[in-house]
Amino acid sequence: DAMVIQNPRYQVTQFGKPVTLSCSQTLNHNVMYWYQQKSSQAPKLLFHYYDKDFNNEADTPDNFQSRRPNTSFCFLDIRSPGLGDAAMYLCATSRGQGGREQYFGPGTRLTVT
Amino acid sequence: GQNIDQPTEMTATEGAIVQINCTYQTSGFNGLFWYQQHAGEAPTFLSYNVLDGLEEKGRFSSFLSRSKGYSYLLLKELQMKDSASYLCAVRMNSGGYQKVTFGIGTKLQVIP
């Protein structure tokens, strides 16, 4: 089945130690998104790719970076994780920006110790 | 800017009907989504409205009034598995691209 896959599902990292979260999709969608969701809060868009065009939200900290080497894969790099970065990180895709809905991966829950 | 409001929590009885409201204030409105999110899981798509009116899909219906900045999600014949958060999300034109902003979600508890 076509889907959005995130690895790992659970990630523990140390304060200040760089960490990379992965997302892959078999839907062949041209738009990929990264959201941060903290407990009892709305998913917050960090950035998205429209094909290779990168769009960073104005309030996304510089600590967060992203790479999209090809259509199928997208990575979220957190250069120096702080305790406040502990959250669920959701990857999503859509067929164009006018697509009817976004398809979400299962998420990666990040713990910072 | 945009502002999306929905109740934080609701409780309803199994077999009953529940309506979850969402109001929004935004410029460049271009559609409203409802997603279901079970605890610790990813959101899953329920419905989409871009024109005024009611969209029905099985036990779930969603209504939109663009002039009032108002939507609701109607869940019929509630089941215990419907206990989840329901996220209202608004798509808008922003800086040359389309952006979806999520509300905080309404946590629905279905009781026997």
Side-chain angles (χ1 to χ4, degrees), chain A residues 21-92:
Chain A
L21 309 182
S22 302
C23 177
S24 63
Q25 53 126 343
T26 59
L27 297 162
N28 202 32
H29 285 169
N30 57 338
V31 189
M32 295 187 77
Y33 309 82
W34 279 105
Y35 289 88
Q36 179 193 65
Q37 187 177 27
K38 298 185 177 180
S39 180
S40 300
Q41 295 186 20
K44 178 182 178 300
L45 182 64
L46 297 173
F47 23 61
H48 78 275
Y49 279 92
Y50 188 97
D51 293 322
K52 294 183 179 181
D53 292 335
F54 177 71
N55 295 277
N56 195 36
E57 292 301 301
D59 56 355
T60 298
D62 292 339
N63 196 28
F64 291 85
Q65 303 286 321
S66 184
R67 296 170 283 134
R68 189 180 186 185
N70 53 53
T71 300
S72 301
F73 286 87
C74 197
F75 300 97
L76 170 62
D77 301 308
I78 308 177
R79 293 191 296 185
S80 182
L83 297 178
D85 297 328
M88 175 76 88
Y89 289 88
L90 297 165
C91 174

Side-chain angles (χ1 to χ4, degrees), chain B:
Chain B
Q2 63 281 329
N3 190 35
I4 302 172
D5 290 312
Q6 51 183 134
T8 306
E9 295 181 347
M10 297 183 72
T11 301
T13 306
E14 188 177 16
I17 300 173
V18 70
Q19 177 174 313
I20 302 174
N21 297 322
C22 172
T23 59
Y24 63 89
Q25 295 175 309
T26 187
S27 55
F29 176 84
N30 193 20
L32 186 144
F33 300 85
W34 284 95
Y35 284 83
Q36 180 191 62
Q37 186 176 27
H38 284 99
E41 298 182 12
T44 55
F45 170 77
L46 289 178
S47 68
Y48 170 70
N49 297 71
V50 67
L51 300 176
D52 287 354
L54 188 68
E55 294 280 343
E56 297 185 81
K57 188 187 295 185
R59 294 189 299 114
F60 294 73
S61 303
S62 57
F63 172 83
L64 175 68
S65 169
R66 294 177 63 143
S67 61
K68 296 181 179 178
Y70 167 69
S71 174
Y72 68 72
L73 178 70
L74 194 70
L75 291 77
K76 304 176 185 175
E77 301 171 16
L78 279 173
Q79 302 175 10
M80 299 300 291
K81 67 177 182 178
D82 297 330
S83 293
S85 285
Y86 292 85
L87 304 169
C88 173
V90 173
R91 185 171 66 200
M92 66 205 78
N93 297 317
S94 174
Y97 68 93
Q98 295 187 31
K99 175 181 175 178
V100 174
T101 299
F102 284 82
I104 194 170
T106 298
K107 187 174 182 179
L108 173 67
Q109 182 181 16
V110 180
I111 57 176

